[in-house]
Amino acid sequence: RNHQPVMYNRFCFLRWLAMAALTNAGGGGFMADYDVFPVSHAPKITKQQNTNMNDFLPYEGDFSVYCKIHTTNNKYNDVGMPCLMSGRGDEWNRMTEDILQIITTELQKRQNDNNNNYDDGVMWSDTVALYRLRGKYLLHDTVLLADQVLIRPSSNSNNIQKENAKGELLLPYWNKEHCNITSFKHAVHFSYDTIRKAPYLPSETTLQDRPTIIRRFINSWKDTCL
């Protein structure tokens, strides 16, 4: 189909194949969504060191997902979102093969369904695949969501302006006292849905504002917390 969400999900699956292909080039590594930005320090690598990525992967390279789904539905308690992941080359191969097997099985079920129990309009994504594979990867809650960092200072500030200039209010101010929010976290995921949930942002904030919001937060965080 030429439907945009279908193409988007197709590309999301293709990135798994790209990571699995890295096995022939030394193996494995990190994969992140384009709207995930670090709030931690990467390991320093000198020219004298072996630069094989596997030497620097956490949890001995076992496949790890760092974005945890937060919901009141117990069904998703142990499920991750594929916004930031890491693993050795063989682990990426294992997970990719499992995902492809799930897709193949699902397609066969739909093709063999004579009673139309399956809705062709239901989107299939790598997020759904991770739900099916829960328990087959390490899950860590170390990625914050945009609405967890796009906040006003808890103390009174004369710098807070009224909502009369949208451009100046795309990012609430970040104070030193808030640096503990990002402590022991790897990154922040600035998905549009979580940006829209951020308190105090103007109601007319659009998807086109996201680059400005992210840039202002990163610069403010670096100036305040590093």
Side-chain angles (χ1 to χ4, degrees):
R1 298 184 212 175
N2 293 322
H3 199 266
Q4 186 175 357
V6 174
M7 291 300 297
Y8 172 81
N9 284 322
R10 181 178 298 172
F11 286 129
C12 284
F13 282 118
L14 288 176
R15 62 183 182 166
W16 288 78
L17 297 176
M19 290 301 300
L22 288 175
T23 301
N24 296 325
F30 284 86
M31 182 173 76
D33 281 349
Y34 71 91
D35 52 4
V36 170
F37 289 80
V39 287
S40 61
H41 296 284
K44 294 182 179 180
I45 303 175
T46 65
K47 292 183 179 179
Q48 291 74 28
Q49 288 177 297
N50 179 2
T51 55
N52 189 324
M53 175 60 73
N54 289 333
D55 295 337
F56 300 94
L57 290 174
Y59 310 106
E60 299 182 345
D62 291 343
F63 199 89
S64 299
V65 178
Y66 301 94
C67 308
K68 187 179 185 297
I69 292 180
H70 292 275
T71 176
T72 56
N73 189 337
N74 293 333
K75 179 180 178 181
Y76 300 102
N77 273 347
D78 300 316
V79 181
M81 289 279 292
C83 73
L84 179 63
M85 300 174 286
S86 70
R88 301 185 308 272
D90 61 300
E91 284 285 84
W92 278 103
N93 271 323
R94 175 181 66 84
M95 290 293 292
T96 301
E97 289 174 359
D98 285 345
I99 286 178
L100 291 176
Q101 183 59 52
I102 288 175
I103 296 172
T104 301
T105 301
E106 187 69 17
L107 288 175
Q108 289 174 346
K109 286 181 179 179
R110 296 189 180 201
Q111 290 172 355
N112 297 330
D113 176 36
N114 296 322
N115 297 318
N116 296 320
N117 292 321
Y118 292 91
D119 182 1
D120 287 337
V122 174
M123 289 296 171
W124 247 83
S125 66
D126 54 349
T127 301
V128 176
L130 275 187
Y131 169 72
R132 294 284 187 91
L133 291 173
R134 61 194 184 280
K136 292 191 175 184
Y137 52 84
L138 302 178
L139 179 60
H140 314 280
D141 188 11
T142 57
V143 174
L144 294 163
L145 301 178
D147 57 314
Q148 294 176 288
V149 299
L150 298 178
I151 57 176
R152 281 185 186 271
S154 58
S155 59
N156 293 326
S157 172
N158 293 327
N159 292 326
I160 297 178
Q161 305 174 27
K162 294 182 179 180
E163 292 186 13
N164 56 5
K166 178 183 175 183
E168 296 299 323
L169 285 167
L170 287 178
L171 175 68
Y173 290 90
W174 184 261
N175 279 357
K176 189 75 175 177
E177 63 194 82
H178 295 115
C179 292
N180 65 312
I181 295 175
T182 56
S183 296
F184 308 107
K185 298 294 184 179
H186 285 115
V188 179
H189 187 199
F190 289 94
S191 68
Y192 181 53
D193 287 339
T194 57
I195 286 178
R196 288 191 303 173
K197 295 178 182 178
Y200 306 111
L201 284 177
S203 59
E204 66 271 21
T205 301
T206 67
L207 183 61
Q208 285 68 39
D209 295 317
R210 183 160 63 160
T212 301
I213 293 171
I214 295 173
R215 183 172 59 251
R216 289 186 178 180
F217 169 78
I218 292 298
N219 290 338
S220 181
W221 178 83
K222 285 169 58 180
D223 292 341
T224 307
C225 301
L226 291 186

